[in-house]
Amino acid sequence: MPVGILCAIPQELQHLERELADAAGERRAGATFLRGRLEGREVVLVGSGIGKVNAAMITTLLVDRYGCDPVVMSGVAGGLDPELHIGDVVIATRAVQHDAGVIEHGRLAVYQAGHVPFFNPTDRLGFHVPQELVERVKARLEGFTLPPMSKRAGGEGRPPRIVFGTVLTGDQYIHCEETRERLFRELGGQAVEMEGAAVAQVCEAFGVGWLLIRALSDLAGRDSRFDFAAFVDEVAKSSAAILHRLLPVL
Ligand code: ADE
């Protein structure tokens, strides 16, 4: 089965598109689905556009029309964990839709997407990457290092860290220190982006594997939109490099 690969924006897609062998494209739902080979593995590569609806629609097509399993999202995110720096990479073991839930007393209480507590309650919060896939990914990345970030991006000669953790997803670009702190404190997310947990929800419904690889383009606080613009190209290269490394075991 081919591996489905989505990227939200062209800066993330370009690093993979360049390397795609035997590429053949098909237009559908406003997106170009490129069948081809990467690292000898059959893949379908597509730019989804930004946000949960775009990600869900494209993931559905990757699985149901192109027969992909697993589906991997490669790209950038805002960092939430104060231990992490621009350029570090978060690989999800869990993804949570931080903008889903119940508004009470003027405030969002996050709840599992697709559920309302008094109608179809659940104990779950978020979606977990299948454990067996996490183990394969961890084993393949043992001893693997990324090149250090440029000085401009705060690189100090050390290679970026690759960590496993929770990725938060919402239809909101986070450019706010207060929100960044709250999301980390309340939901324990390492990174925040705008598509991953929607990919996860669709893949879980179809019973196929999924993976999110997110390199930090910014730290989701006050400077995040400036950092994003400055570093998106450089850090998106890191998530593509990790995907290349993983493809033979996906
Ligand atoms: N993707 C990259 N940076 C982000 C941020 N700060 N908020 C949401 N999505 C992002």
Side-chain angles (χ1 to χ4, degrees), residues 12 76-79 98 168 170 172-176 192-195 214-221 224-225 228:
E12 297 165 335
V76 304
H98 71 82
L168 305 183
Q172 306 159 347
Y173 186 89
I174 309 298
H175 184 243
C176 171
V192 63
E193 39 84 301
M194 302 175 74
E195 296 83 21
R214 293 294 198 174
L216 304 185
S217 56
D218 59 84
L219 299 178
S224 76
R225 73 179 147 169
F228 175 88

Side-chain angles (χ1 to χ4, degrees), residues 121-143:
T122 175
D123 290 336
R124 297 183 70 196
L125 184 62
F127 302 89
H128 283 88
V129 178
Q131 189 55 31
E132 175 274 331
L133 182 53
V134 174
E135 296 308 328
R136 246 186 298 154
V137 167
K138 282 187 174 165
R140 180 73 181 156
L141 291 178
E142 225 156 82

Side-chain angles (χ1 to χ4, degrees), residues 106-171:
R107 190 169 185 286
L108 175 69
V110 175
Y111 204 73
Q112 179 76 334
H115 291 260
V116 174
F118 52 83
F119 179 68
N120 55 351
T122 175
D123 290 336
R124 297 183 70 196
L125 184 62
F127 302 89
H128 283 88
V129 178
Q131 189 55 31
E132 175 274 331
L133 182 53
V134 174
E135 296 308 328
R136 246 186 298 154
V137 167
K138 282 187 174 165
R140 180 73 181 156
L141 291 178
E142 225 156 82
F144 175 80
T145 48
L146 289 162
M149 293 285 291
S150 68
K151 280 232 159 55
R152 220 177 114 253
E156 289 158 8
R158 66 163 187 101
R161 287 176 66 190
I162 302 172
V163 301
F164 289 80
T166 296
V167 168
L168 305 183
T169 301
D171 277 311

Side-chain angles (χ1 to χ4, degrees), residues 2-7 9-10 12-28 30-38 41-48 58 61-62 65-68 72 243 247:
V3 176
I5 304 171
L6 332 64
C7 301
I9 58 175
E12 297 165 335
L13 194 64
Q14 61 181 353
H15 303 289
L16 298 163
E17 212 171 354
R18 269 205 293 270
E19 309 282 333
L20 193 67
D22 309 324
E26 185 177 52
R27 293 282 297 166
R28 190 156 290 268
T32 303
F33 291 78
L34 290 170
R35 297 173 197 256
R37 302 188 79 78
L38 272 180
R41 188 80 162 77
E42 198 188 333
V43 303
V44 182
L45 176 64
V46 57
S48 62
I58 297 298
L61 287 167
L62 282 172
R65 181 175 172 83
Y66 294 93
C68 295
V72 184
L243 177 56
L247 271 168

